[in-house]
Amino acid sequence: MPTFSSQDAHIHYQTFGDISHPAIIFSNSLGTNYRMWQAQIDHFKNDFFVICYDTRGHGESSSPQGPYTLEQLGQDVIDLLDHLKIDQANFCGISMGGLTGQWLAIHHPKRFHHVVISNTAAKVGQQQAWNERAALVREQGLQPIAATAAARWFTEHFIANHADTVAELQKSLAAGSAQGYANCCEALAEADLTAQIQTIDVPVLIIAGQQDPVTTVLDAQFMLERIAKAELFEINASHISNVESPEQFNQAVQQFIA
């Protein structure tokens, strides 16, 4: 289980494929871990050096004292690239990972060839709601959040036809670190890049789920209008679109970074 130290955290990561190939790093959503990217790992590992990691507070990464900041989440990615001695990579992040990608494109543009931000926004949700969720999780644990996650993550059709996949992700969420999850909620509460994204000069692909109730197509269009080298791809899926529509997702990312 490879880990490295970044700031105050131990970050768990996995790599797949040949290190001589172009690098692509994947960043998970809130309440998941690197295994959410399995369909992307399988698709990209023959042509790319695939790097996956568990965001601090998630999976097998440590959950140091919070609250966390978006800057910390982004710096963990830079420290991972430095640890692997990779000067430039492609980046793909979903939801919380998409906010991390925006921060990286703003603050470390020279480290990335292309940035893919999926099912995300320049500001995700409202500050008060995130702080209330953090307090709830600290008080009651992750089980109540996990019990209702499917409706936020997937369409009814996907839930009905892929019960095992949905159950596995809910089980993983319930088994996670309540402290780490709450700390990341507090990072999302404060994260607001609406004024800064217009400075992004890296090529950016925005993937928006047409049935996503969390980060909508309107959120994607807001970013598209402000990021100079942005493209928008709409996908027929809800919030965790890389799991719900992996073929469409993989094709969009592949064409963009090719």
Side-chain angles (χ1 to χ4, degrees), residues 62-85:
S62 66
S63 301
Q65 193 68 31
Y68 303 155
T69 65
L70 183 58
E71 180 179 3
Q72 284 178 305
L73 303 186
Q75 189 60 45
D76 288 340
V77 176
I78 297 300
D79 291 348
L80 175 53
L81 292 177
D82 289 346
H83 173 73
L84 295 171
K85 298 181 170 58

mmCIF file of all heavy atoms in Angstrom, residues 62-85:
data_model
loop_
_atom_site.group_PDB
_atom_site.id
_atom_site.type_symbol
_atom_site.label_atom_id
_atom_site.label_comp_id
_atom_site.label_asym_id
_atom_site.label_seq_id
_atom_site.Cartn_x
_atom_site.Cartn_y
_atom_site.Cartn_z
ATOM 1 N N SER A 62 -4.838 9.241 5.532
ATOM 2 C CA SER A 62 -5.098 9.613 6.920
ATOM 3 C C SER A 62 -6.099 10.768 7.002
ATOM 4 O O SER A 62 -6.384 11.437 6.005
ATOM 5 C CB SER A 62 -3.792 9.992 7.621
ATOM 6 O OG SER A 62 -3.233 11.171 7.055
ATOM 7 N N SER A 63 -6.643 10.954 8.200
ATOM 8 C CA SER A 63 -7.617 12.021 8.442
ATOM 9 C C SER A 63 -7.094 12.938 9.544
ATOM 10 O O SER A 63 -7.560 12.890 10.691
ATOM 11 C CB SER A 63 -8.975 11.431 8.861
ATOM 12 O OG SER A 63 -9.484 10.574 7.876
ATOM 13 N N PRO A 64 -6.098 13.784 9.201
ATOM 14 C CA PRO A 64 -5.576 14.677 10.232
ATOM 15 C C PRO A 64 -6.613 15.689 10.672
ATOM 16 O O PRO A 64 -7.679 15.826 10.073
ATOM 17 C CB PRO A 64 -4.396 15.362 9.535
ATOM 18 C CG PRO A 64 -4.694 15.257 8.079
ATOM 19 C CD PRO A 64 -5.443 13.978 7.906
ATOM 20 N N GLN A 65 -6.288 16.394 11.745
ATOM 21 C CA GLN A 65 -7.189 17.391 12.314
ATOM 22 C C GLN A 65 -7.610 18.403 11.249
ATOM 23 O O GLN A 65 -6.800 18.832 10.444
ATOM 24 C CB GLN A 65 -6.491 18.109 13.478
ATOM 25 C CG GLN A 65 -7.405 18.948 14.353
ATOM 26 C CD GLN A 65 -8.375 18.080 15.163
ATOM 27 O OE1 GLN A 65 -8.055 16.965 15.529
ATOM 28 N NE2 GLN A 65 -9.557 18.614 15.446
ATOM 29 N N GLY A 66 -8.860 18.764 11.245
ATOM 30 C CA GLY A 66 -9.380 19.739 10.291
ATOM 31 C C GLY A 66 -9.703 21.058 10.962
ATOM 32 O O GLY A 66 -9.294 21.284 12.094
ATOM 33 N N PRO A 67 -10.475 21.913 10.324
ATOM 34 C CA PRO A 67 -11.039 21.705 8.992
ATOM 35 C C PRO A 67 -9.970 21.768 7.903
ATOM 36 O O PRO A 67 -8.908 22.349 8.112
ATOM 37 C CB PRO A 67 -12.027 22.878 8.848
ATOM 38 C CG PRO A 67 -11.456 23.957 9.726
ATOM 39 C CD PRO A 67 -10.846 23.234 10.887
ATOM 40 N N TYR A 68 -10.251 21.142 6.761
ATOM 41 C CA TYR A 68 -9.337 21.216 5.635
ATOM 42 C C TYR A 68 -9.676 22.441 4.790
ATOM 43 O O TYR A 68 -10.738 23.052 4.931
ATOM 44 C CB TYR A 68 -9.433 19.961 4.762
ATOM 45 C CG TYR A 68 -9.166 18.666 5.491
ATOM 46 C CD1 TYR A 68 -9.689 17.470 5.019
ATOM 47 C CD2 TYR A 68 -8.391 18.632 6.657
ATOM 48 C CE1 TYR A 68 -9.459 16.273 5.682
ATOM 49 C CE2 TYR A 68 -8.158 17.443 7.328
ATOM 50 C CZ TYR A 68 -8.696 16.265 6.844
ATOM 51 O OH TYR A 68 -8.462 15.087 7.494
ATOM 52 N N THR A 69 -8.751 22.768 3.886
ATOM 53 C CA THR A 69 -8.968 23.856 2.928
ATOM 54 C C THR A 69 -8.781 23.306 1.522
ATOM 55 O O THR A 69 -8.098 22.292 1.315
ATOM 56 C CB THR A 69 -7.984 25.005 3.146
ATOM 57 O OG1 THR A 69 -6.646 24.544 2.873
ATOM 58 C CG2 THR A 69 -8.059 25.535 4.578
ATOM 59 N N LEU A 70 -9.340 23.989 0.542
ATOM 60 C CA LEU A 70 -9.140 23.603 -0.850
ATOM 61 C C LEU A 70 -7.660 23.675 -1.213
ATOM 62 O O LEU A 70 -7.160 22.847 -1.977
ATOM 63 C CB LEU A 70 -9.979 24.509 -1.760
ATOM 64 C CG LEU A 70 -9.947 24.186 -3.256
ATOM 65 C CD1 LEU A 70 -10.406 22.756 -3.539
ATOM 66 C CD2 LEU A 70 -10.801 25.189 -4.032
ATOM 67 N N GLU A 71 -6.949 24.638 -0.651
ATOM 68 C CA GLU A 71 -5.507 24.737 -0.895
ATOM 69 C C GLU A 71 -4.782 23.469 -0.446
ATOM 70 O O GLU A 71 -3.899 22.961 -1.145
ATOM 71 C CB GLU A 71 -4.926 25.949 -0.160
ATOM 72 C CG GLU A 71 -3.433 26.126 -0.370
ATOM 73 C CD GLU A 71 -2.871 27.345 0.339
ATOM 74 O OE1 GLU A 71 -3.635 28.030 1.045
ATOM 75 O OE2 GLU A 71 -1.661 27.599 0.193
ATOM 76 N N GLN A 72 -5.163 22.920 0.708
ATOM 77 C CA GLN A 72 -4.552 21.673 1.164
ATOM 78 C C GLN A 72 -4.847 20.526 0.201
ATOM 79 O O GLN A 72 -3.961 19.721 -0.116
ATOM 80 C CB GLN A 72 -5.065 21.308 2.560
ATOM 81 C CG GLN A 72 -4.469 22.118 3.695
ATOM 82 C CD GLN A 72 -5.077 21.725 5.026
ATOM 83 O OE1 GLN A 72 -6.300 21.753 5.200
ATOM 84 N NE2 GLN A 72 -4.232 21.340 5.973
ATOM 85 N N LEU A 73 -6.095 20.429 -0.255
ATOM 86 C CA LEU A 73 -6.465 19.359 -1.175
ATOM 87 C C LEU A 73 -5.658 19.455 -2.468
ATOM 88 O O LEU A 73 -5.223 18.439 -3.019
ATOM 89 C CB LEU A 73 -7.960 19.407 -1.483
ATOM 90 C CG LEU A 73 -8.937 19.335 -0.310
ATOM 91 C CD1 LEU A 73 -10.378 19.238 -0.818
ATOM 92 C CD2 LEU A 73 -8.631 18.167 0.614
ATOM 93 N N GLY A 74 -5.472 20.674 -2.952
ATOM 94 C CA GLY A 74 -4.687 20.863 -4.164
ATOM 95 C C GLY A 74 -3.205 20.593 -3.955
ATOM 96 O O GLY A 74 -2.553 19.954 -4.788
ATOM 97 N N GLN A 75 -2.669 21.053 -2.828
ATOM 98 C CA GLN A 75 -1.247 20.860 -2.563
ATOM 99 C C GLN A 75 -0.899 19.380 -2.420
ATOM 100 O O GLN A 75 0.198 18.953 -2.781
ATOM 101 C CB GLN A 75 -0.827 21.629 -1.313
ATOM 102 C CG GLN A 75 0.683 21.676 -1.079
ATOM 103 C CD GLN A 75 1.440 22.333 -2.233
ATOM 104 O OE1 GLN A 75 1.027 23.386 -2.735
ATOM 105 N NE2 GLN A 75 2.523 21.710 -2.656
ATOM 106 N N ASP A 76 -1.849 18.572 -1.925
ATOM 107 C CA ASP A 76 -1.615 17.127 -1.852
ATOM 108 C C ASP A 76 -1.329 16.546 -3.243
ATOM 109 O O ASP A 76 -0.501 15.633 -3.388
ATOM 110 C CB ASP A 76 -2.829 16.413 -1.245
ATOM 111 C CG ASP A 76 -2.974 16.658 0.257
ATOM 112 O OD1 ASP A 76 -1.979 17.037 0.901
ATOM 113 O OD2 ASP A 76 -4.091 16.461 0.777
ATOM 114 N N VAL A 77 -2.013 17.059 -4.269
ATOM 115 C CA VAL A 77 -1.792 16.581 -5.642
ATOM 116 C C VAL A 77 -0.405 16.981 -6.124
ATOM 117 O O VAL A 77 0.328 16.166 -6.708
ATOM 118 C CB VAL A 77 -2.874 17.135 -6.592
ATOM 119 C CG1 VAL A 77 -2.595 16.731 -8.038
ATOM 120 C CG2 VAL A 77 -4.256 16.652 -6.165
ATOM 121 N N ILE A 78 -0.016 18.227 -5.885
ATOM 122 C CA ILE A 78 1.320 18.687 -6.284
ATOM 123 C C ILE A 78 2.391 17.873 -5.571
ATOM 124 O O ILE A 78 3.389 17.450 -6.185
ATOM 125 C CB ILE A 78 1.481 20.193 -5.986
ATOM 126 C CG1 ILE A 78 0.475 21.016 -6.813
ATOM 127 C CG2 ILE A 78 2.910 20.656 -6.254
ATOM 128 C CD1 ILE A 78 0.605 20.858 -8.314
ATOM 129 N N ASP A 79 2.201 17.617 -4.279
ATOM 130 C CA ASP A 79 3.174 16.824 -3.522
ATOM 131 C C ASP A 79 3.250 15.391 -4.045
ATOM 132 O O ASP A 79 4.334 14.783 -4.055
ATOM 133 C CB ASP A 79 2.810 16.824 -2.032
ATOM 134 C CG ASP A 79 3.001 18.188 -1.380
ATOM 135 O OD1 ASP A 79 3.620 19.066 -2.018
ATOM 136 O OD2 ASP A 79 2.523 18.374 -0.243
ATOM 137 N N LEU A 80 2.116 14.832 -4.493
ATOM 138 C CA LEU A 80 2.124 13.481 -5.055
ATOM 139 C C LEU A 80 2.903 13.455 -6.367
ATOM 140 O O LEU A 80 3.713 12.544 -6.599
ATOM 141 C CB LEU A 80 0.688 12.992 -5.264
ATOM 142 C CG LEU A 80 0.506 11.628 -5.950
ATOM 143 C CD1 LEU A 80 1.312 10.538 -5.267
ATOM 144 C CD2 LEU A 80 -0.968 11.250 -5.997
ATOM 145 N N LEU A 81 2.681 14.446 -7.231
ATOM 146 C CA LEU A 81 3.443 14.514 -8.479
ATOM 147 C C LEU A 81 4.939 14.668 -8.201
ATOM 148 O O LEU A 81 5.771 14.033 -8.861
ATOM 149 C CB LEU A 81 2.941 15.677 -9.349
ATOM 150 C CG LEU A 81 1.530 15.543 -9.923
ATOM 151 C CD1 LEU A 81 1.154 16.794 -10.695
ATOM 152 C CD2 LEU A 81 1.413 14.311 -10.819
ATOM 153 N N ASP A 82 5.274 15.491 -7.213
ATOM 154 C CA ASP A 82 6.688 15.656 -6.835
ATOM 155 C C ASP A 82 7.261 14.344 -6.311
ATOM 156 O O ASP A 82 8.393 13.961 -6.649
ATOM 157 C CB ASP A 82 6.828 16.749 -5.766
ATOM 158 C CG ASP A 82 6.576 18.145 -6.320
ATOM 159 O OD1 ASP A 82 6.560 18.307 -7.559
ATOM 160 O OD2 ASP A 82 6.394 19.061 -5.493
ATOM 161 N N HIS A 83 6.484 13.638 -5.495
ATOM 162 C CA HIS A 83 6.912 12.356 -4.941
ATOM 163 C C HIS A 83 7.206 11.347 -6.051
ATOM 164 O O HIS A 83 8.167 10.575 -5.974
ATOM 165 C CB HIS A 83 5.824 11.821 -4.006
ATOM 166 C CG HIS A 83 6.063 10.437 -3.504
ATOM 167 N ND1 HIS A 83 7.019 10.133 -2.550
ATOM 168 C CD2 HIS A 83 5.469 9.246 -3.835
ATOM 169 C CE1 HIS A 83 7.006 8.833 -2.310
ATOM 170 N NE2 HIS A 83 6.073 8.271 -3.075
ATOM 171 N N LEU A 84 6.392 11.373 -7.102
ATOM 172 C CA LEU A 84 6.566 10.454 -8.232
ATOM 173 C C LEU A 84 7.523 11.007 -9.290
ATOM 174 O O LEU A 84 7.747 10.355 -10.312
ATOM 175 C CB LEU A 84 5.210 10.156 -8.869
ATOM 176 C CG LEU A 84 4.209 9.395 -7.997
ATOM 177 C CD1 LEU A 84 2.826 9.360 -8.652
ATOM 178 C CD2 LEU A 84 4.689 7.973 -7.729
ATOM 179 N N LYS A 85 8.051 12.221 -9.041
ATOM 180 C CA LYS A 85 8.997 12.877 -9.957
ATOM 181 C C LYS A 85 8.385 13.090 -11.345
ATOM 182 O O LYS A 85 9.015 12.840 -12.374
ATOM 183 C CB LYS A 85 10.314 12.088 -10.046
ATOM 184 C CG LYS A 85 11.051 11.992 -8.714
ATOM 185 C CD LYS A 85 12.344 11.223 -8.848
ATOM 186 C CE LYS A 85 13.203 11.332 -7.588
ATOM 187 N NZ LYS A 85 12.523 10.863 -6.368
#
